[in-house]
Amino acid sequence: MFTLAEVASLSDIQPTYRILKPWWDVFMDYLAVVMLMVAIFAGTMQLTKDQVVCLPVLQSTVNSKVQPGTSGKADFTTVETTTGQGEEASMRTVSFGSAPTVTPDIFLSRATTSSQYQTTESGQEPKKEQKDSSGRKTNLDFQQYVFINQMCYHLALPWYSKYFPYLVLIHTIILIVSSNFWFKYPKTCSKIEHFVSILGKCFESPWTTKALSETACEDSEENKQRLTGAQSLPKYVSTSSDEGSPSASTPMITKSGFKFSADKPMIEIPSVTILDKKDGEQAKALFEKVRKFRAHVEDSDLIYKLYVGQTVIKTVKFIFILCYTANFVNTISFEHICNPKVEHLIGYTQFECTHNMAYMLKKLLISYISLICVYGFICLYTLFWLVRIPLKEYSFEKVREESSFSDIPDVKNDFAFLLHMVDQYDQLYSKRFGVFLSEVSENKLRGISLNHEWTYEKLRQHVSRNAQDKQELHLFMLSGVPDAVFDLTDLDVLKLELIPEAKITAKISQMTNLQELHLYHCPAKVEQTAFSFLRDHLRCLHVKFTDVAEIPAWVYLLKTLRELYLIGNLNSENNKMIGLESLRELRHLKILHVKSNLTKIPPNITDVAPHLTKLVIHNDGTKLVVLNSLKKMTNVAELELQNCELERIPHAIFSLSNLQELDLKSNSIRTIEEIISFQHLKRLTCLKLWHNKIVSIPSSITHIKNLESLYLSNNKLETLPAAVFSLQKLRYLDVSFNSIAVIPVEIGLLQNLQHFHITGNKVDILPKQLFKCVKLRTLSLGQNCITSIPDKVSQLLQLTYLELKGNCLDRLPVTLGQCQLLRKSGLIVEDHLFDALPSEVKEVLNQDTSIPFANGI
């Protein structure tokens, strides 16, 4: 036997699931418990007290007197048994002879120890006993009564009367299982447990209280100001001119008004509490959990379907129980007629039986039907609720209206259904849960934690000096920009990298020295005041991005910007999206650097052509095909087209009359016959054709009279034509890493040559004319086949750098000591060659270790 507590535990679920139990589920659970009690009570009564009492139905009633015509004597054998003196005696009378087996006209009488049965013929004494008797003899013994009672219990009673408690118990257990199956099914219980756990933590999180209290504070003050303003200001207030402010389409951060509705007025503005580090970390972890849980649950509706399914099952079960149970109410009665067909054992064919539990069972059955009807109506209401509103969609519109978090998204599928269920328990749960769905709320939390971690002192330790001797701060992979950054008023360069939620506030106006800003994968947002400051003070901006959408739109409105560096994906499909048409607002832009994968120069780039002086395009190996837009950029002085897979020098370049420097590094140029057209570029002084596939230099290069620097390294040159040495203004010549075997003697004509690099070639002899270039300051001769260095190297009095490493030298000339400006740090040679020099020469070359140090002091 089991206890009531054990049975009731079947309907018990974890207390934490109560928030997912609406009132109808709770009510049905209690009804199920009552039905369990009914089943257990009925079963207990049936097992302990249920029985049937049966008596035979007598065929006729015969008078005890002897009928006329009989002999007046009867042959009886009477046996009397007594159980004790003064007690009632039970008699069993059996007749023999021709008389029938059953004697229905014999009466039962009370017997005593002194009385005897006597046979009389007159019949006077039996007549006296008939008056004193209390019943009629049935001629059955006790075992026969027990037997017939059990037989008639199974034959005469309706089956429902016998199995009613067990049916109620089975039906109730099925209803309980149906009600709580979605809490136990493996594919749903894990999601439900996770949801309940997260919901409880969100409800109790200090960040939720802080966020909602801040909303209340802001809205209370706003309402107060609104009421004050309504009393003191007229209905219409004149507005100032919009001149000088950005247009409506400008991507500025605007502080929208907050809304808050409350049933009770705010009596006192609660003070804003500061989260400690532990609470902040827990809140950040909750944001991440909510984000992952939403992504996991929103893509399916299994929980919703399972709940609908179990509700349908309960409804069908209710209809089934009601239909067949109602028919059995009238079958339960107190009296029953039983025909057991055991006449050969008992002697009777029909019995009249009474069921002592009939009235109790009937009342319990009516109670059970009443309970199941209530249960069924609740199931029908649940189905109505399931179809009345779209439970697979949940809107936080009311929460958005009551709080400052207007970005709380609506949810769908199982996530929406769970929130609808929670609302039936307490709507405050979903309101507090919505705080952790808001990006604004998350950003506020990150900002608080960030400001606690990155104080002014810590930021000051990260400030360094860059190559330009400017104070620079580089922030990498933070959740935002710490407020203390804007207190570094002496900062010159600010680099923000991988900070997706960067926000530049009005405090940046304190940084009066800030002129250079780097945004690496950082689509920063700016407030209106901050934008005004950047528009008037920022001079250099670097933007690195993966997608064009990461380029902040306010970048194209910085009127005083002079240098713009764009690094990211700008292929032909996205060229129309770059928004370079807005570059026309950059009226002071001088340098435009684009590192991307362009197939053509965007035509809108010509909008900045009148004032652009330098254009740099670094491709990633994508072939730059269309260059016609270059023709309109007549004021460009420096042009770099690197890694653009160019095979020839673009003709559009020859139209750039103001061009002074051309860099075509890392292309696929094989021939430069078009170089003759450079004669029209009178201002061209620097030509860089390095890292190409050039095999020869045409003699027409002599027409570039003003050329001062020529870069031809990393090509496939085998000879240097004499035409190169006719460029009298040439000061820098780099032909490193080619296949040149001979340095022409005409090199001596380059009297202005200061830098000569021929490293990585096949030169074996140095002509004496080389040392007539007395202005040489840098001479790179490494990785060749040179066997000796002439003593005339001493004529290079201005030489500060000499590279000889990687040759076939066996000694160094002693005259190196006469190169007054040459020091050991500028002499690149094997150690054993340097050690072989005389000590006085080494002493001269080693002076750089002490003299500059002394001068520095």
Side-chain angles (χ1 to χ4, degrees):
M1 193 65 185
F2 42 82
T3 63
L4 180 61
E6 293 173 342
V7 177
S9 65
L10 295 174
S11 64
D12 188 25
I13 57 173
Q14 296 183 16
T16 53
Y17 287 173
R18 292 175 183 172
I19 59 176
L20 294 177
K21 301 282 285 186
W23 67 266
W24 53 82
D25 278 352
V26 176
F27 198 11
M28 285 192 287
D29 285 345
Y30 282 113
L31 288 175
V33 171
V34 175
M35 286 188 281
L36 274 178
M37 295 175 65
V38 170
I40 295 172
F41 177 73
T44 304
M45 294 293 292
Q46 191 177 50
L47 292 174
T48 57
K49 296 184 178 182
D50 191 24
Q51 61 182 356
V52 172
V53 178
C54 299
L55 290 176
V57 176
L58 304 180
Q59 295 179 356
S60 62
T61 303
V62 181
N63 197 335
S64 61
K65 292 182 179 181
V66 179
Q67 297 296 331
T70 59
S71 62
K73 289 184 179 181
D75 185 10
F76 288 101
T77 301
T78 303
V79 180
E80 179 181 341
T81 60
T82 61
T83 57
Q85 186 175 4
E87 296 180 358
E88 293 182 357
S90 60
M91 296 177 294
R92 182 174 57 195
T93 303
V94 183
S95 61
F96 300 93
S98 60
T101 305
V102 181
T103 57
D105 55 339
I106 299 176
F107 297 92
L108 296 175
S109 62
R110 185 178 302 271
T112 61
T113 57
S114 62
S115 63
Q116 298 287 335
Y117 281 98
Q118 298 179 357
T119 59
T120 62
E121 296 180 0
S122 61
Q124 295 298 325
E125 189 63 21
K127 187 174 180 181
K128 182 179 179 181
E129 291 178 356
Q130 182 180 3
K131 294 178 181 178
D132 297 333
S133 63
S134 59
R136 300 172 60 189
K137 275 190 174 184
T138 60
N139 202 26
L140 296 176
D141 60 10
F142 178 76
Q143 286 78 9
Q144 290 174 320
Y145 276 115
V146 172
F147 173 75
I148 199 63
N149 287 345
Q150 292 180 355
M151 286 288 296
C152 290
Y153 180 84
H154 293 284
L155 295 178
L157 288 186
W159 69 271
Y160 196 77
S161 298
K162 296 178 289 185
Y163 302 110
F164 165 72
Y166 309 105
L167 292 174
V168 174
L169 180 63
I170 293 173
H171 291 323
T172 305
I173 292 176
I174 293 175
L175 292 176
I176 292 174
V177 171
S178 300
S179 294
N180 299 305
F181 184 70
W182 68 313
F183 293 124
K184 305 297 183 181
Y185 185 57
K187 292 186 178 180
T188 57
C189 70
S190 59
K191 295 180 181 179
I192 294 174
E193 289 177 2
H194 198 186
F195 174 75
V196 172
S197 174
I198 293 176
L199 187 64
K201 292 178 181 178
C202 292
F203 188 84
E204 298 174 356
S205 173
W207 171 246
T208 311
T209 305
K210 175 178 172 59
L212 294 178
S213 64
E214 284 183 347
T215 298
C217 291
E218 293 170 350
D219 296 325
S220 297
E221 293 203 356
E222 180 183 306
N223 293 335
K224 188 175 181 180
Q225 293 176 0
R226 188 183 299 114
L227 293 175
T228 305
Q231 296 174 359
S232 60
L233 297 178
K235 183 175 182 180
Y236 296 99
V237 181
S238 61
T239 57
S240 59
S241 173
D242 293 334
E243 184 180 358
S245 62
S247 62
S249 61
T250 304
M252 299 295 110
I253 297 177
T254 58
K255 294 184 178 180
S256 58
F258 300 110
K259 300 179 181 179
F260 182 75
S261 62
D263 297 332
K264 298 181 180 180
M266 298 294 294
I267 299 176
E268 182 180 355
I269 299 175
S271 59
V272 179
T273 58
I274 298 179
L275 293 178
D276 57 27
K277 185 175 180 180
K278 181 180 179 181
D279 291 337
E281 293 299 324
Q282 291 178 349
K284 286 194 291 185
L286 275 178
F287 273 105
E288 187 64 24
K289 287 182 179 180
V290 170
R291 187 182 300 108
K292 291 182 178 180
F293 178 78
R294 180 187 175 191
H296 176 60
V297 176
E298 263 195 319
D299 59 351
S300 69
D301 57 354
L302 178 61
I303 298 177
Y304 171 77
K305 289 180 178 178
L306 191 60
Y307 187 83
V308 173
Q310 69 183 31
T311 304
V312 172
I313 290 174
K314 289 189 293 184
T315 305
V316 173
K317 187 71 175 175
F318 146 71
I319 297 173
F320 171 72
I321 295 173
L322 189 63
C323 289
Y324 89 87
T325 304
N327 296 328
F328 292 104
V329 176
N330 295 325
T331 62
I332 300 178
S333 62
F334 180 74
E335 297 180 355
H336 297 278
I337 300 298
C338 178
N339 299 297
K341 297 181 180 180
V342 289
E343 185 178 357
H344 62 288
L345 297 175
I346 303 299
Y348 294 93
T349 59
Q350 190 176 49
F351 294 84
E352 185 171 345
C353 305
T354 60
H355 185 201
N356 64 335
M357 286 288 296
Y359 295 114
M360 179 63 71
L361 287 178
K362 193 167 187 178
K363 292 178 181 179
L364 290 176
L365 178 58
I366 295 174
S367 300
Y368 175 68
I369 293 176
S370 302
L371 292 173
I372 205 67
C373 287
V374 176
Y375 194 96
F377 287 134
I378 296 176
C379 289
L380 294 175
Y381 174 82
T382 305
L383 286 178
F384 170 73
W385 180 76
L386 289 172
V387 300
R388 181 174 61 90
I389 56 176
L391 297 179
K392 293 169 68 174
E393 298 176 0
Y394 188 90
S395 175
F396 284 95
E397 182 178 359
K398 185 176 180 181
V399 181
R400 291 193 291 263
E401 291 176 354
E402 294 180 354
S403 68
S404 61
F405 308 120
S406 59
D407 66 323
I408 300 178
D410 296 338
V411 295
K412 58 183 180 179
N413 290 335
D414 282 345
F415 200 5
F417 175 69
L418 290 174
L419 289 173
H420 279 293
M421 297 296 284
V422 170
D423 279 351
Q424 299 301 316
Y425 182 82
D426 190 349
Q427 293 185 353
L428 184 60
Y429 275 91
S430 59
K431 180 178 179 180
R432 297 175 74 92
F433 189 75
V435 172
F436 287 88
L437 291 171
S438 170
E439 291 186 5
V440 174
S441 173
E442 186 174 7
N443 293 337
K444 284 185 177 181
L445 174 64
R446 289 175 178 174
I448 293 175
S449 301
L450 188 68
N451 292 329
H452 286 174
E453 180 180 0
W454 290 87
T455 60
Y456 176 85
E457 292 75 15
K458 184 175 181 179
L459 288 171
R460 175 59 68 182
Q461 295 175 0
H462 286 75
V463 176
S464 60
R465 290 274 180 181
N466 61 11
Q468 290 77 30
D469 197 30
K470 295 182 178 180
Q471 292 197 52
E472 176 182 296
L473 176 62
H474 187 186
L475 299 179
F476 178 72
M477 290 187 69
L478 299 182
S479 59
V481 180
D483 291 341
V485 169
F486 306 115
D487 295 330
L488 303 173
T489 56
D490 56 345
L491 202 64
D492 300 310
V493 181
L494 177 60
K495 292 184 178 181
L496 306 177
E497 184 173 359
L498 292 174
I499 306 179
E501 300 297 333
K503 185 173 82 170
I504 301 176
T505 64
K507 290 182 65 178
I508 198 174
S509 57
Q510 302 174 170
M511 306 174 69
T512 54
N513 291 339
L514 184 66
Q515 294 188 350
E516 185 174 342
L517 179 63
H518 295 245
L519 302 176
Y520 294 161
H521 302 286
C522 179
K525 300 178 181 178
V526 296
E527 294 182 356
Q528 176 62 44
T529 306
F531 168 75
S532 300
F533 173 81
L534 293 175
R535 180 188 58 192
D536 297 336
H537 292 80
L538 198 62
R539 296 293 180 267
C540 180
L541 177 63
H542 295 248
V543 182
K544 189 174 183 180
F545 54 91
T546 302
D547 187 77
V548 183
E550 295 181 22
I551 304 177
W554 53 267
V555 167
Y556 304 108
L557 302 175
L558 301 174
K559 297 180 180 180
T560 60
L561 192 66
R562 295 186 180 181
E563 300 180 24
L564 177 60
Y565 296 81
L566 299 176
I567 306 172
N569 183 14
L570 293 173
N571 56 37
S572 58
E573 297 178 358
N574 295 331
N575 276 340
K576 296 180 180 179
M577 300 172 57
I578 189 175
L580 289 180
E581 64 274 8
S582 301
L583 289 178
R584 64 173 63 95
E585 299 294 332
L586 307 180
R587 301 170 185 173
H588 294 85
L589 189 65
K590 300 295 182 182
I591 300 175
L592 177 60
H593 186 119
V594 180
K595 187 175 182 180
S596 183
N597 53 350
L598 297 174
T599 57
K600 63 179 181 179
I601 296 179
N604 292 328
I605 205 172
T606 57
D607 293 337
V608 295
H611 42 82
L612 197 65
T613 59
K614 183 177 181 179
L615 175 63
V616 179
I617 296 179
H618 285 192
N619 261 12
D620 61 353
T622 303
K623 189 171 184 179
L624 190 61
V625 180
V626 182
L627 296 166
N628 294 332
S629 300
L630 289 176
K631 296 180 179 179
K632 300 179 181 180
M633 309 184 71
T634 55
N635 290 327
V636 170
E638 297 182 33
L639 177 63
E640 294 185 18
L641 302 175
Q642 295 188 16
N643 206 14
C644 297
E645 288 297 315
L646 301 175
E647 297 179 357
R648 305 180 73 91
I649 299 176
H651 292 277
I653 295 177
F654 305 136
S655 302
L656 307 179
S657 56
N658 291 314
L659 190 63
Q660 298 179 15
E661 181 177 333
L662 176 62
D663 189 349
L664 299 178
K665 181 181 179 181
S666 300
N667 284 283
S668 299
I669 300 175
R670 297 178 180 275
T671 177
I672 53 174
E673 296 297 333
E674 303 89 347
I675 204 170
I676 189 173
S677 299
F678 283 141
Q679 62 182 330
H680 304 294
L681 306 180
K682 303 297 182 182
R683 298 186 179 183
L684 186 63
T685 59
C686 181
L687 179 60
K688 298 181 179 180
L689 299 173
W690 45 354
H691 296 271
N692 279 280
K693 300 177 181 179
I694 301 172
V695 296
S696 64
I697 303 174
S699 59
S700 56
I701 195 173
T702 58
H703 295 288
I704 313 177
K705 300 294 184 182
N706 295 321
L707 196 62
E708 297 179 1
S709 300
L710 179 60
Y711 293 75
L712 291 170
S713 62
N714 295 91
N715 278 282
K716 297 183 179 181
L717 299 175
E718 296 182 356
T719 59
L720 286 176
V724 174
F725 306 106
S726 63
L727 302 173
Q728 295 298 318
K729 293 185 179 181
L730 199 63
R731 295 187 301 171
Y732 191 103
L733 178 60
D734 187 358
V735 290
S736 300
F737 300 102
N738 283 278
S739 300
I740 300 172
V742 178
I743 300 177
V745 295
E746 289 82 1
I747 193 172
L749 300 176
L750 300 177
Q751 292 299 309
N752 292 315
L753 189 64
Q754 298 180 9
H755 306 274
F756 181 48
H757 302 273
I758 196 170
T759 302
N761 282 274
K762 300 178 181 180
V763 178
D764 54 356
I765 298 176
L766 297 178
K768 297 180 180 180
Q769 288 79 4
L770 173 62
F771 303 102
K772 292 183 179 180
C773 303
V774 294
K775 293 184 179 180
L776 274 175
R777 302 178 60 186
T778 303
L779 180 59
S780 299
L781 302 173
Q783 301 180 35
N784 280 279
C785 302
I786 301 172
T787 57
S788 63
I789 303 297
D791 292 340
K792 290 189 176 182
V793 70
S794 61
Q795 298 177 8
L796 305 179
L797 299 179
Q798 299 184 23
L799 191 66
T800 59
Y801 180 88
L802 177 60
E803 181 187 355
L804 298 173
K805 194 172 185 178
N807 283 282
C808 302
L809 300 174
D810 55 359
R811 66 180 183 86
L812 295 177
V814 180
T815 55
L816 279 177
Q818 299 179 19
C819 299
Q820 300 176 359
L821 301 179
L822 185 63
R823 296 292 179 266
K824 182 181 180 181
S825 59
L827 179 60
I828 310 301
V829 70
E830 287 81 359
D831 292 339
H832 70 278
L833 294 177
F834 180 82
D835 295 337
L837 287 171
S839 57
E840 60 273 11
V841 176
K842 290 192 291 185
E843 184 178 353
V844 171
L845 295 174
N846 284 326
Q847 287 181 356
D848 61 330
T849 59
S850 58
I851 295 176
F853 181 77
N855 293 337
I857 295 178

